[in-house]
Amino acid sequence: MDAIRKQATKLREQVAKQQQTVLKQFGGGGYGSSDNVVIDEEKFQQHHKLEKLYISTRASKHFQRDIVRGVEGYIVTGLKQVEIGTKLSDDSRKYGVENTCTSGNTLSKAALSYGRARSQMEKEHGTLLKALGTQVAEPLRAMVMGAPLEDARHLAQRYDRMRQEAEAQVIEVSRRQVKVRESTGNGDNALKLEAAEAKLQELKSNMAILGKEAATAMTAVEAQQQKLTLQRLIAMISKFIILSVFFAFKVESERTYHQRTLQILDQLEDEMISERQRIEASPSPAVDNSMPPPPSYEDINGVFTSQTYDGFTDSMGYFLGEAMHSYQADSDVELNLSIGDYVVVRKVSNNGWAEGECKGKAGWFPFGYIERRERVLASKMAEVF
């Protein structure tokens, strides 16, 4: 009996080795990372199909997730650009409203026009970015996180667990068969073998049903993934084409605006140069030879305190004047003037002289060389003192 048992044990070990060899030949892992396969051609084909579907849907899920991340990043960057462009349009309109000049408002009008156009373009840009999110990112995100994909994957995982259980049951049946052969006539072993075989058949039957359900669900999900991804890619490409055309139009509009602004500035510069040349070319008003020399500062509070000139008196207070002609001082009590200098006029005499301060120096100068100014730029005021 011992010899028979040893031989049976040896045969059992050989059978187990042969099973392992066959399992390794037909195995190769899978979505359940199992190295065992039920030795059945139909079951093997079913398992292989589900494994391919599982891998395919997983790759599609990762691809859709990458598209969603890329689109969301592009939208965030685009919205930041819209914010900057909107701020620029607001500043342009503010400049156009608040900065006008007496010689013309061409530049202000150009700034207002650019501000309105830029605001409209940024609004359209924001609308396109919103459409990109709602038509591309959101559907793909819903597909990645949706129930159909997860349900199909759960069915495939349940099938894989049942397959592993069936594989274990096959080994159990083989073990029971060996025991029955070793102990012929033992009814208890025969009953256990029948129970193990019945359980194996039940597992195979349930596995076949569940495998078909999982394969159907995974096939439907795969088709939906491919269809939805293709549709969203087409929509994304069309949106990017529209955005490219939009950006090209915006760049061209900005280029046209800057060219027009440059033309306006060149025109203003030419007008300023012409006006400067006209002023410089105009003859300086001659000082009347009969006009007495400017008084000394000792006489300021005496002779001229009650005198007037062209309606201006000391009681009117100080006022600002702009030198329209150059004047070269002939004495220490006179004040040098250059065209464009601003003077704080403090006194005006009735004999044609005025007293004031310019660039930190005080003195007398011919009153006809200046013109009164009501408004002066802050930068010019610094030159007076």
Side-chain angles (χ1 to χ4, degrees):
M1 290 294 295
D2 292 337
I4 295 174
R5 289 176 180 172
K6 289 180 180 180
Q7 186 177 3
T9 302
K10 186 177 180 179
L11 289 173
R12 186 164 58 249
E13 290 176 354
Q14 290 177 354
V15 170
K17 288 181 180 180
Q18 291 177 356
Q19 286 181 341
Q20 291 296 328
T21 302
V22 175
L23 293 175
K24 290 180 180 180
Q25 179 181 357
F26 287 96
Y31 48 90
S33 66
S34 173
D35 293 331
N36 299 324
V37 180
V38 177
I39 309 305
D40 185 295
E41 182 64 23
E42 181 180 357
K43 302 298 183 298
F44 174 76
Q45 293 296 335
Q46 184 76 15
H47 165 71
H48 188 61
K49 179 180 179 180
L50 275 174
E51 186 179 29
K52 290 177 62 177
L53 286 170
Y54 193 90
I55 295 173
S56 174
T57 53
R58 182 178 58 190
S60 297
K61 177 181 178 180
H62 292 168
F63 180 54
Q64 289 175 337
R65 187 172 57 193
D66 291 341
I67 294 176
V68 170
R69 290 175 178 174
V71 171
E72 288 178 344
Y74 181 83
I75 291 174
V76 170
T77 304
L79 290 177
K80 180 60 68 175
Q81 293 175 346
V82 170
E83 181 181 350
I84 296 172
T86 303
K87 180 65 167 56
L88 176 60
S89 67
D90 292 341
D91 291 343
S92 298
R93 285 186 291 182
K94 183 178 180 181
Y95 175 86
V97 171
E98 296 180 356
N99 293 272
T100 57
C101 56
T102 56
S103 60
N105 58 353
T106 306
L107 187 60
S108 300
K109 289 182 178 179
L112 281 171
S113 177
Y114 174 75
R116 287 192 293 265
R118 185 61 185 255
S119 177
Q120 184 64 29
M121 286 191 296
E122 297 304 339
K123 183 179 179 181
E124 295 296 332
H125 188 189
T127 302
L128 285 173
L129 290 174
K130 183 178 179 181
L132 193 62
T134 56
Q135 297 181 18
V136 178
E138 291 182 5
L140 289 178
R141 187 189 301 108
M143 182 68 191
V144 170
M145 306 299 295
L149 174 62
E150 294 302 318
D151 291 345
R153 291 164 65 87
H154 290 159
L155 283 174
Q157 291 167 358
R158 283 178 55 196
Y159 171 82
D160 188 66
R161 290 194 295 268
M162 187 174 293
R163 183 181 64 85
Q164 295 177 24
E165 187 178 352
E167 292 168 359
Q169 191 64 25
V170 168
I171 296 174
E172 176 67 16
V173 169
S174 300
R175 190 174 65 83
R176 293 294 180 186
Q177 288 175 347
V178 171
K179 284 189 174 182
V180 169
R181 285 195 296 269
E182 289 177 352
S183 57
T184 305
N186 190 330
D188 186 51
N189 288 335
L191 291 175
K192 290 181 179 180
L193 174 61
E194 291 178 2
E197 290 176 343
K199 184 177 180 180
L200 177 61
Q201 291 299 323
E202 182 181 1
L203 285 173
K204 286 184 176 181
S205 177
N206 293 336
M207 190 172 64
I209 297 173
L210 185 59
K212 290 179 180 179
E213 292 179 0
T216 301
M218 295 291 284
T219 302
V221 168
E222 183 186 45
Q224 186 179 5
Q225 282 180 329
Q226 294 179 357
K227 180 180 179 180
L228 183 63
T229 304
L230 178 61
Q231 290 176 346
R232 297 310 102 189
L233 284 175
I234 294 174
M236 184 172 64
I237 291 172
S238 64
K239 291 294 179 295
F240 278 134
I241 292 175
I242 294 174
L243 284 171
S244 299
V245 175
F246 172 78
F247 282 130
F249 173 75
K250 184 165 69 171
V251 170
E252 180 64 23
S253 299
E254 290 185 357
R255 187 177 67 85
T256 303
Y257 164 73
H258 291 302
Q259 288 179 346
R260 178 58 180 159
T261 303
L262 183 60
Q263 293 174 357
I264 293 172
L265 292 175
D266 290 340
Q267 181 182 356
L268 290 175
E269 183 183 13
D270 294 339
E271 292 177 357
M272 292 173 65
I273 293 174
S274 299
E275 182 66 17
R276 174 72 66 176
Q277 292 174 349
R278 183 188 66 79
I279 294 173
E280 292 176 350
S282 62
S284 301
V287 179
D288 189 357
N289 292 330
S290 61
M291 188 173 65
S296 63
Y297 281 102
E298 289 78 3
D299 300 331
I300 291 177
N301 295 323
V303 178
F304 298 104
T305 53
S306 60
Q307 294 177 334
T308 63
Y309 184 78
D310 290 344
F312 299 109
T313 67
D314 294 336
S315 62
M316 295 179 64
Y318 296 171
F319 65 89
L320 289 172
E322 181 181 358
M324 308 306 295
H325 307 278
S326 298
Y327 178 72
Q328 186 67 34
D330 292 332
S331 65
D332 293 338
V333 297
E334 297 180 17
L335 184 65
N336 288 322
L337 294 179
S338 299
I339 296 176
D341 286 347
Y342 283 87
V343 187
V344 177
V345 181
R346 298 186 292 203
K347 286 185 178 294
V348 179
S349 69
N350 60 352
N351 61 358
W353 291 93
E355 191 271 337
E357 182 179 349
C358 177
K359 298 181 180 178
K361 295 182 180 181
W364 292 90
F365 56 89
F367 182 71
Y369 279 56
I370 67 168
E371 289 185 3
R372 183 166 180 161
R373 293 287 182 263
E374 298 295 336
R375 298 174 60 186
V376 181
L377 295 176
S379 59
K380 294 295 183 181
M381 285 296 297
E383 299 177 0
V384 177
F385 303 99

